[in-house]
Amino acid sequence: MGGLVIGVLLLATLGACGGGMSASPLSTSPLPASPATVGSTGGPALHAGTTGRTLTTPDGRQRTYLVHVPSVAVPATSATPATSATPGTSTAPGTSAAPVTRGVLPVVLVLHGGGGSARQAEQQTGMSAVADREGFLAVYPDGTGRRQTALLTWNAGTCCGYAHDNGVDDVGFIAALLDQLPREYPVDPARIYVTGMSNGAMMSYRLGCELTGRIAAIAPVSGAMNTTACTPSRPLPVIAFHGTADGKVRYDGGESSIGLRQGDERADRSVAEAMAFWTGRDGCPATPARSRQGAVVHDVYGPCAPGGAVELYSITGAGHAWPGGTRPREQADPPPPAPNASAVMWEFFAHHTLAA
């Protein structure tokens, strides 16, 4: 009986972390796709839509992920459709807003929250719709869990759940995924971006620390920088989003209202600590230029050193949610309508590439 109670509590706990729970197996066959295609340079056309994939990592685990090919084919001679730049954002020295050409697509990795899944992340963030509009590859990796299709987490340093407790090499998984993608899709290795929700946001911070040479920018949403060490090899553009009333991963840091380790409370670092680290690393001023529109406070730390950029969107009164997204389940905190995090972060990403 005790085991059953613990199991029920664990399900409720993980579901509260911004993720959803999916018990259905991940299909490895393509989902229904539109007839539009994106042609690879000198290779066969790729059908638009979302497809399930698998790979075996160096530690012998079979990992799953979804890939969404955009439903627009951008002419090889045209640049990325014009978008209004994020206020206060400019192309940093050493980076460029390179045109998206057919056959060379940027990639946005989207990491689900604790207890969630790749499928849930696609639905919650709406990133595939942004990919269709802007012309990039949206990739949704799955974390790990005792059950392969549910209660999945990421080993983000001091958190979370199964992945942390079992020392899962999630950095190795993402590195292997970045090796695999160019073998199957026409991707631009200079334009790889990472975002994530909650535990996935924590993992995006860790990837920014450990795979800096392969990632052009990161965008954590409702997550703390819970890495045990961080020694990025270069300045890294960072844009973060966080609700000030988030009780799951608190804006000011401290103990979460939930726990992802049995019998242990989780203490998270504050948003201010993450901003202080990255502004220091990126050579940015400690005091931002601040603007406000309704409940949304936008901080831009600049100018920064070449290659660096740091921005923060704080949503007053918002809880643990993806701004502009959808609820992963009925009991989840309602997402604030603004900003549209997926669209805003893409505008930020589009201004940053890895220097040659």
Side-chain angles (χ1 to χ4, degrees):
M1 180 66 180
L4 177 60
V5 172
I6 290 173
V8 171
L9 288 174
L10 181 59
L11 286 170
T13 292
L14 286 168
C17 194
M21 288 168 284
S22 172
S24 59
L26 176 66
S27 171
T28 56
S29 59
L31 298 179
S34 71
T37 61
V38 175
S40 61
T41 304
L46 299 174
H47 290 277
T50 304
T51 306
R53 300 289 188 185
T54 64
L55 68 81
T56 301
T57 57
D59 62 2
R61 292 179 181 270
Q62 188 174 66
R63 303 296 295 265
T64 55
Y65 58 100
L66 298 177
V67 177
H68 180 83
V69 175
S71 60
V72 294
V74 182
T77 57
S78 74
T80 306
T83 58
S84 57
T86 304
T89 299
S90 61
T91 302
T95 66
S96 63
V100 174
T101 57
R102 181 162 51 190
V104 185
L105 298 175
V107 175
V108 176
L109 299 181
V110 185
L111 308 179
H112 60 75
S117 68
R119 187 77 64 195
Q120 172 267 319
E122 183 180 33
Q123 295 168 352
Q124 182 181 20
T125 65
M127 191 64 76
S128 291
V130 181
D132 286 341
R133 184 171 68 247
E134 302 291 350
F136 61 85
L137 208 66
V139 180
Y140 306 89
D142 276 310
T144 56
R146 298 189 191 286
R147 299 168 59 192
Q148 292 185 350
T149 58
L151 302 179
L152 307 179
T153 59
W154 301 102
N155 182 5
T158 63
C159 183
C160 294
Y162 174 90
H164 171 269
D165 294 344
N166 290 273
V168 175
D169 184 8
D170 281 321
V171 174
F173 165 45
I174 298 301
L177 177 56
L178 295 182
D179 290 339
Q180 179 66 20
L181 286 172
R183 301 183 187 121
E184 299 180 345
Y185 300 94
V187 305
D188 182 353
R191 291 183 292 164
I192 306 292
Y193 310 100
V194 181
T195 183
M197 169 70 192
S198 189
N199 178 210
M202 298 173 192
M203 189 66 205
S204 71
Y205 276 126
R206 182 174 184 185
L207 293 171
C209 295
E210 299 186 36
L211 294 181
T212 325
R214 305 188 68 177
I215 294 171
I218 63 171
V221 179
S222 299
M225 187 172 169
N226 285 344
T227 54
T228 55
C230 186
T231 55
S233 59
R234 64 172 182 86
L236 178 74
V238 177
I239 183 170
F241 303 79
H242 213 118
T244 63
D246 190 336
K248 311 296 191 304
V249 182
R250 299 186 186 279
Y251 188 91
D252 294 325
E255 290 186 357
S256 172
S257 62
I258 60 175
L260 290 182
R261 294 196 296 248
Q262 184 178 330
D264 188 19
E265 289 298 322
R266 189 184 83 241
D268 297 312
R269 293 175 183 164
S270 67
V271 173
E273 288 177 90
M275 294 300 100
F277 176 85
W278 288 109
T279 54
R281 183 64 188 87
D282 285 7
C284 312
T287 302
R290 175 168 291 179
S291 60
R292 180 188 293 269
Q293 185 169 2
V296 180
V297 178
H298 181 201
D299 289 337
V300 178
Y301 299 83
C304 302
V310 179
E311 297 189 26
L312 169 65
Y313 280 86
S314 303
I315 304 91
T316 306
H320 194 65
W322 186 280
T326 63
R327 293 189 186 191
R329 65 191 199 298
E330 279 188 27
Q331 298 83 359
D333 291 346
N340 183 326
S342 295
V344 169
M345 70 176 64
W346 171 251
E347 291 178 356
F348 179 85
F349 289 160
H351 286 79
H352 300 285
T353 63
L354 285 174

